[in-house]
mmCIF file of all heavy atoms in Angstrom:
data_model
loop_
_atom_site.group_PDB
_atom_site.id
_atom_site.type_symbol
_atom_site.label_atom_id
_atom_site.label_comp_id
_atom_site.label_asym_id
_atom_site.label_seq_id
_atom_site.Cartn_x
_atom_site.Cartn_y
_atom_site.Cartn_z
ATOM 1 N N ALA A 56 4.797 -7.720 5.018
ATOM 2 C CA ALA A 56 5.955 -7.695 4.109
ATOM 3 C C ALA A 56 5.906 -6.551 3.102
ATOM 4 O O ALA A 56 6.944 -6.089 2.638
ATOM 5 C CB ALA A 56 6.038 -9.028 3.355
ATOM 6 N N PHE A 57 4.688 -6.102 2.756
ATOM 7 C CA PHE A 57 4.594 -5.123 1.664
ATOM 8 C C PHE A 57 4.723 -3.690 2.169
ATOM 9 O O PHE A 57 5.137 -2.806 1.419
ATOM 10 C CB PHE A 57 3.262 -5.260 0.908
ATOM 11 C CG PHE A 57 2.992 -6.643 0.334
ATOM 12 C CD1 PHE A 57 1.706 -7.001 -0.077
ATOM 13 C CD2 PHE A 57 4.005 -7.576 0.205
ATOM 14 C CE1 PHE A 57 1.448 -8.253 -0.606
ATOM 15 C CE2 PHE A 57 3.755 -8.854 -0.334
ATOM 16 C CZ PHE A 57 2.468 -9.184 -0.732
ATOM 17 N N LYS A 58 4.342 -3.451 3.427
ATOM 18 C CA LYS A 58 4.311 -2.088 3.968
ATOM 19 C C LYS A 58 5.722 -1.508 3.974
ATOM 20 O O LYS A 58 6.615 -2.055 4.632
ATOM 21 C CB LYS A 58 3.748 -2.118 5.395
ATOM 22 C CG LYS A 58 3.108 -0.820 5.851
ATOM 23 C CD LYS A 58 2.573 -1.003 7.267
ATOM 24 C CE LYS A 58 1.919 0.249 7.802
ATOM 25 N NZ LYS A 58 0.684 0.619 7.086
ATOM 26 N N GLY A 59 5.928 -0.458 3.185
ATOM 27 C CA GLY A 59 7.243 0.162 3.111
ATOM 28 C C GLY A 59 8.147 -0.450 2.046
ATOM 29 O O GLY A 59 9.237 0.053 1.794
ATOM 30 N N TYR A 60 7.678 -1.513 1.408
ATOM 31 C CA TYR A 60 8.489 -2.149 0.358
ATOM 32 C C TYR A 60 8.504 -1.249 -0.881
ATOM 33 O O TYR A 60 7.452 -1.007 -1.478
ATOM 34 C CB TYR A 60 7.917 -3.530 0.025
ATOM 35 C CG TYR A 60 8.724 -4.291 -0.992
ATOM 36 C CD1 TYR A 60 9.827 -5.053 -0.605
ATOM 37 C CD2 TYR A 60 8.409 -4.247 -2.345
ATOM 38 C CE1 TYR A 60 10.584 -5.737 -1.527
ATOM 39 C CE2 TYR A 60 9.158 -4.933 -3.280
ATOM 40 C CZ TYR A 60 10.240 -5.680 -2.871
ATOM 41 O OH TYR A 60 10.984 -6.358 -3.786
ATOM 42 N N HIS A 61 9.665 -0.713 -1.210
ATOM 43 C CA HIS A 61 9.770 0.300 -2.283
ATOM 44 C C HIS A 61 8.719 1.383 -2.119
ATOM 45 O O HIS A 61 8.174 1.890 -3.106
ATOM 46 C CB HIS A 61 9.657 -0.347 -3.677
ATOM 47 C CG HIS A 61 10.817 -1.241 -4.008
ATOM 48 N ND1 HIS A 61 12.030 -0.754 -4.442
ATOM 49 C CD2 HIS A 61 10.969 -2.586 -3.942
ATOM 50 C CE1 HIS A 61 12.860 -1.766 -4.638
ATOM 51 N NE2 HIS A 61 12.256 -2.886 -4.334
ATOM 52 N N GLY A 62 8.376 1.692 -0.867
ATOM 53 C CA GLY A 62 7.431 2.767 -0.598
ATOM 54 C C GLY A 62 5.969 2.373 -0.665
ATOM 55 O O GLY A 62 5.090 3.240 -0.521
ATOM 56 N N TYR A 63 5.644 1.083 -0.850
ATOM 57 C CA TYR A 63 4.224 0.682 -0.861
ATOM 58 C C TYR A 63 3.634 1.004 0.517
ATOM 59 O O TYR A 63 4.184 0.588 1.531
ATOM 60 C CB TYR A 63 4.064 -0.807 -1.198
ATOM 61 C CG TYR A 63 2.603 -1.201 -1.332
ATOM 62 C CD1 TYR A 63 1.896 -0.926 -2.502
ATOM 63 C CD2 TYR A 63 1.909 -1.791 -0.277
ATOM 64 C CE1 TYR A 63 0.554 -1.237 -2.617
ATOM 65 C CE2 TYR A 63 0.562 -2.103 -0.381
ATOM 66 C CZ TYR A 63 -0.103 -1.828 -1.560
ATOM 67 O OH TYR A 63 -1.437 -2.124 -1.675
ATOM 68 N N PRO A 64 2.499 1.749 0.568
ATOM 69 C CA PRO A 64 2.067 2.286 1.867
ATOM 70 C C PRO A 64 1.181 1.388 2.730
ATOM 71 O O PRO A 64 0.825 1.799 3.834
ATOM 72 C CB PRO A 64 1.271 3.545 1.471
ATOM 73 C CG PRO A 64 1.305 3.647 -0.010
ATOM 74 C CD PRO A 64 1.761 2.343 -0.562
ATOM 75 N N PHE A 65 0.790 0.209 2.268
ATOM 76 C CA PHE A 65 -0.209 -0.586 3.011
ATOM 77 C C PHE A 65 0.290 -2.007 3.293
ATOM 78 O O PHE A 65 1.298 -2.443 2.744
ATOM 79 C CB PHE A 65 -1.519 -0.644 2.204
ATOM 80 C CG PHE A 65 -2.074 0.717 1.889
ATOM 81 C CD1 PHE A 65 -1.864 1.300 0.642
ATOM 82 C CD2 PHE A 65 -2.782 1.437 2.840
ATOM 83 C CE1 PHE A 65 -2.357 2.573 0.346
ATOM 84 C CE2 PHE A 65 -3.289 2.704 2.558
ATOM 85 C CZ PHE A 65 -3.071 3.271 1.313
ATOM 86 N N CYS A 68 -2.541 -5.630 -0.567
ATOM 87 C CA CYS A 68 -2.908 -5.099 -1.880
ATOM 88 C C CYS A 68 -4.341 -5.567 -2.157
ATOM 89 O O CYS A 68 -4.635 -6.760 -2.026
ATOM 90 C CB CYS A 68 -2.002 -5.635 -2.982
ATOM 91 S SG CYS A 68 -0.254 -5.246 -2.784
ATOM 92 N N VAL A 76 -3.043 -5.854 -10.065
ATOM 93 C CA VAL A 76 -2.310 -6.051 -8.805
ATOM 94 C C VAL A 76 -1.977 -4.694 -8.208
ATOM 95 O O VAL A 76 -2.094 -3.654 -8.864
ATOM 96 C CB VAL A 76 -0.985 -6.840 -8.992
ATOM 97 C CG1 VAL A 76 -1.234 -8.323 -9.236
ATOM 98 C CG2 VAL A 76 -0.116 -6.229 -10.080
ATOM 99 N N HIS A 77 -1.514 -4.724 -6.930
ATOM 100 C CA HIS A 77 -0.984 -3.554 -6.228
ATOM 101 C C HIS A 77 -2.021 -2.448 -6.046
ATOM 102 O O HIS A 77 -1.659 -1.273 -5.940
ATOM 103 C CB HIS A 77 0.272 -2.995 -6.933
ATOM 104 C CG HIS A 77 1.345 -4.021 -7.135
ATOM 105 N ND1 HIS A 77 2.363 -3.877 -8.057
ATOM 106 C CD2 HIS A 77 1.552 -5.222 -6.548
ATOM 107 C CE1 HIS A 77 3.145 -4.952 -8.012
ATOM 108 N NE2 HIS A 77 2.681 -5.782 -7.110
ATOM 109 N N ASP A 94 -3.821 -9.624 -1.926
ATOM 110 C CA ASP A 94 -2.433 -10.102 -2.005
ATOM 111 C C ASP A 94 -1.749 -9.673 -0.719
ATOM 112 O O ASP A 94 -1.834 -8.501 -0.321
ATOM 113 C CB ASP A 94 -1.770 -9.470 -3.232
ATOM 114 C CG ASP A 94 -0.395 -10.043 -3.528
ATOM 115 O OD1 ASP A 94 0.131 -10.831 -2.731
ATOM 116 O OD2 ASP A 94 0.165 -9.666 -4.589
ATOM 117 N N PHE A 95 -1.073 -10.626 -0.057
ATOM 118 C CA PHE A 95 -0.575 -10.353 1.282
ATOM 119 C C PHE A 95 0.668 -11.176 1.569
ATOM 120 O O PHE A 95 0.775 -12.323 1.136
ATOM 121 C CB PHE A 95 -1.679 -10.704 2.300
ATOM 122 C CG PHE A 95 -1.301 -10.508 3.733
ATOM 123 C CD1 PHE A 95 -1.030 -9.242 4.229
ATOM 124 C CD2 PHE A 95 -1.218 -11.590 4.593
ATOM 125 C CE1 PHE A 95 -0.681 -9.048 5.562
ATOM 126 C CE2 PHE A 95 -0.871 -11.418 5.927
ATOM 127 C CZ PHE A 95 -0.601 -10.146 6.408
ATOM 128 N N GLY A 96 1.602 -10.562 2.300
ATOM 129 C CA GLY A 96 2.806 -11.288 2.696
ATOM 130 C C GLY A 96 3.256 -10.860 4.073
ATOM 131 O O GLY A 96 2.902 -9.775 4.548
ATOM 132 N N ASP A 105 4.204 -15.274 0.940
ATOM 133 C CA ASP A 105 3.432 -14.405 0.052
ATOM 134 C C ASP A 105 2.322 -15.246 -0.581
ATOM 135 O O ASP A 105 2.587 -16.358 -1.046
ATOM 136 C CB ASP A 105 4.432 -13.896 -1.002
ATOM 137 C CG ASP A 105 3.909 -12.842 -1.951
ATOM 138 O OD1 ASP A 105 2.779 -12.381 -1.775
ATOM 139 O OD2 ASP A 105 4.670 -12.485 -2.871
ATOM 140 N N ALA A 106 1.093 -14.726 -0.589
ATOM 141 C CA ALA A 106 -0.009 -15.456 -1.223
ATOM 142 C C ALA A 106 -1.059 -14.465 -1.699
ATOM 143 O O ALA A 106 -1.124 -13.327 -1.220
ATOM 144 C CB ALA A 106 -0.640 -16.449 -0.240
ATOM 145 N N ALA A 107 -1.868 -14.890 -2.652
ATOM 146 C CA ALA A 107 -2.938 -14.033 -3.172
ATOM 147 C C ALA A 107 -4.103 -14.890 -3.640
ATOM 148 O O ALA A 107 -3.924 -16.065 -3.999
ATOM 149 C CB ALA A 107 -2.420 -13.179 -4.336
ATOM 150 N N PHE A 165 4.225 -8.495 -15.061
ATOM 151 C CA PHE A 165 4.598 -8.910 -13.701
ATOM 152 C C PHE A 165 4.872 -10.409 -13.698
ATOM 153 O O PHE A 165 4.302 -11.146 -14.503
ATOM 154 C CB PHE A 165 3.471 -8.607 -12.705
ATOM 155 C CG PHE A 165 3.124 -7.149 -12.600
ATOM 156 C CD1 PHE A 165 1.986 -6.654 -13.225
ATOM 157 C CD2 PHE A 165 3.927 -6.269 -11.886
ATOM 158 C CE1 PHE A 165 1.650 -5.301 -13.133
ATOM 159 C CE2 PHE A 165 3.602 -4.921 -11.787
ATOM 160 C CZ PHE A 165 2.467 -4.438 -12.419
ATOM 161 N N VAL A 166 5.729 -10.826 -12.774
ATOM 162 C CA VAL A 166 6.150 -12.229 -12.729
ATOM 163 C C VAL A 166 6.097 -12.746 -11.290
ATOM 164 O O VAL A 166 6.062 -11.959 -10.330
ATOM 165 C CB VAL A 166 7.594 -12.384 -13.265
ATOM 166 C CG1 VAL A 166 7.669 -12.021 -14.743
ATOM 167 C CG2 VAL A 166 8.593 -11.535 -12.457
ATOM 168 N N GLY A 167 6.119 -14.071 -11.134
ATOM 169 C CA GLY A 167 6.357 -14.673 -9.827
ATOM 170 C C GLY A 167 7.848 -14.632 -9.519
ATOM 171 O O GLY A 167 8.643 -14.091 -10.295
ATOM 172 N N HIS A 168 8.216 -15.235 -8.378
ATOM 173 C CA HIS A 168 9.577 -15.012 -7.883
ATOM 174 C C HIS A 168 9.993 -16.064 -6.870
ATOM 175 O O HIS A 168 9.147 -16.644 -6.186
ATOM 176 C CB HIS A 168 9.643 -13.621 -7.222
ATOM 177 C CG HIS A 168 8.517 -13.364 -6.247
ATOM 178 N ND1 HIS A 168 8.650 -13.564 -4.896
ATOM 179 C CD2 HIS A 168 7.226 -12.988 -6.441
ATOM 180 C CE1 HIS A 168 7.486 -13.290 -4.304
ATOM 181 N NE2 HIS A 168 6.603 -12.950 -5.216
ATOM 182 N N ILE A 170 11.555 -16.828 -3.197
ATOM 183 C CA ILE A 170 11.237 -16.141 -1.932
ATOM 184 C C ILE A 170 11.938 -16.855 -0.784
ATOM 185 O O ILE A 170 12.139 -18.064 -0.847
ATOM 186 C CB ILE A 170 9.697 -16.081 -1.733
ATOM 187 C CG1 ILE A 170 9.308 -15.342 -0.456
ATOM 188 C CG2 ILE A 170 9.058 -17.471 -1.779
ATOM 189 C CD1 ILE A 170 7.813 -15.005 -0.376
ATOM 190 N N LEU A 174 11.813 -10.934 -0.004
ATOM 191 C CA LEU A 174 10.491 -11.142 -0.611
ATOM 192 C C LEU A 174 10.641 -11.577 -2.064
ATOM 193 O O LEU A 174 9.908 -12.436 -2.550
ATOM 194 C CB LEU A 174 9.672 -9.842 -0.517
ATOM 195 C CG LEU A 174 8.298 -9.834 -1.182
ATOM 196 C CD1 LEU A 174 7.365 -10.886 -0.589
ATOM 197 C CD2 LEU A 174 7.654 -8.446 -1.071
ATOM 198 N N HIS A 175 11.580 -10.934 -2.743
ATOM 199 C CA HIS A 175 11.804 -11.261 -4.150
ATOM 200 C C HIS A 175 13.226 -11.768 -4.332
ATOM 201 O O HIS A 175 14.173 -11.000 -4.205
ATOM 202 C CB HIS A 175 11.575 -10.034 -5.040
ATOM 203 C CG HIS A 175 10.145 -9.582 -5.044
ATOM 204 N ND1 HIS A 175 9.765 -8.267 -5.013
ATOM 205 C CD2 HIS A 175 8.993 -10.300 -5.064
ATOM 206 C CE1 HIS A 175 8.439 -8.193 -5.011
ATOM 207 N NE2 HIS A 175 7.950 -9.410 -5.035
ATOM 208 N N ALA A 199 7.354 -18.401 -5.334
ATOM 209 C CA ALA A 199 6.024 -17.799 -5.271
ATOM 210 C C ALA A 199 5.518 -17.724 -6.710
ATOM 211 O O ALA A 199 6.005 -16.912 -7.505
ATOM 212 C CB ALA A 199 6.087 -16.414 -4.630
ATOM 213 N N GLU A 201 2.572 -16.948 -9.290
ATOM 214 C CA GLU A 201 1.428 -16.036 -9.179
ATOM 215 C C GLU A 201 0.885 -15.563 -10.517
ATOM 216 O O GLU A 201 1.143 -14.445 -10.940
ATOM 217 C CB GLU A 201 1.763 -14.847 -8.277
ATOM 218 C CG GLU A 201 3.035 -14.094 -8.560
ATOM 219 C CD GLU A 201 3.187 -12.900 -7.597
ATOM 220 O OE1 GLU A 201 2.187 -12.235 -7.323
ATOM 221 O OE2 GLU A 201 4.316 -12.653 -7.126
ATOM 222 N N TRP A 218 1.359 2.845 -8.454
ATOM 223 C CA TRP A 218 1.309 1.429 -8.074
ATOM 224 C C TRP A 218 0.207 0.635 -8.758
ATOM 225 O O TRP A 218 0.466 -0.439 -9.294
ATOM 226 C CB TRP A 218 1.108 1.293 -6.553
ATOM 227 C CG TRP A 218 2.361 1.480 -5.765
ATOM 228 C CD1 TRP A 218 2.782 2.630 -5.164
ATOM 229 C CD2 TRP A 218 3.369 0.496 -5.502
ATOM 230 N NE1 TRP A 218 3.986 2.412 -4.541
ATOM 231 C CE2 TRP A 218 4.367 1.113 -4.723
ATOM 232 C CE3 TRP A 218 3.531 -0.853 -5.841
ATOM 233 C CZ2 TRP A 218 5.505 0.439 -4.281
ATOM 234 C CZ3 TRP A 218 4.660 -1.531 -5.389
ATOM 235 C CH2 TRP A 218 5.630 -0.887 -4.631
ATOM 236 N N HIS A 230 -6.072 -13.006 -9.890
ATOM 237 C CA HIS A 230 -4.700 -13.271 -9.409
ATOM 238 C C HIS A 230 -4.749 -14.321 -8.303
ATOM 239 O O HIS A 230 -5.512 -14.176 -7.348
ATOM 240 C CB HIS A 230 -4.147 -11.947 -8.855
ATOM 241 C CG HIS A 230 -2.755 -11.982 -8.309
ATOM 242 N ND1 HIS A 230 -2.323 -11.081 -7.360
ATOM 243 C CD2 HIS A 230 -1.693 -12.779 -8.565
ATOM 244 C CE1 HIS A 230 -1.044 -11.321 -7.068
ATOM 245 N NE2 HIS A 230 -0.640 -12.352 -7.784
ATOM 246 N N GLU A 232 -1.891 -16.774 -5.915
ATOM 247 C CA GLU A 232 -0.467 -16.974 -5.611
ATOM 248 C C GLU A 232 -0.305 -17.890 -4.402
ATOM 249 O O GLU A 232 -1.004 -17.736 -3.402
ATOM 250 C CB GLU A 232 0.188 -15.621 -5.285
ATOM 251 C CG GLU A 232 1.644 -15.714 -4.827
ATOM 252 C CD GLU A 232 2.284 -14.342 -4.590
ATOM 253 O OE1 GLU A 232 1.542 -13.363 -4.352
ATOM 254 O OE2 GLU A 232 3.524 -14.271 -4.648
HETATM 255 N N1 MF3 B 1 2.664 -10.574 -4.409
HETATM 256 C C1 MF3 B 1 3.274 -9.348 -4.859
HETATM 257 C C2 MF3 B 1 4.709 -9.621 -5.157
HETATM 258 O O1 MF3 B 1 5.211 -10.589 -4.756
HETATM 259 C C3 MF3 B 1 3.080 -8.255 -3.887
HETATM 260 C C4 MF3 B 1 4.089 -7.194 -3.816
HETATM 261 S S1 MF3 B 1 3.345 -5.746 -3.357
HETATM 262 C C5 MF3 B 1 4.563 -4.732 -2.846
HETATM 263 O O2 MF3 B 1 5.363 -8.971 -5.855
HETATM 264 F F1 MF3 B 1 4.027 -3.697 -2.373
HETATM 265 F F2 MF3 B 1 5.236 -5.321 -1.906
HETATM 266 F F3 MF3 B 1 5.350 -4.479 -3.841
#
Side-chain angles (χ1 to χ4, degrees):
F57 303 164
K58 205 179 180 66
Y60 183 85
H61 293 280
Y63 185 80
F65 303 99
C68 300
V76 286
H77 306 161
D94 188 353
F95 178 65
D105 187 5
F165 299 103
V166 295
H168 48 96
I170 182 168
L174 176 61
H175 294 139
E201 50 178 320
W218 280 96
H230 180 205
E232 175 177 23

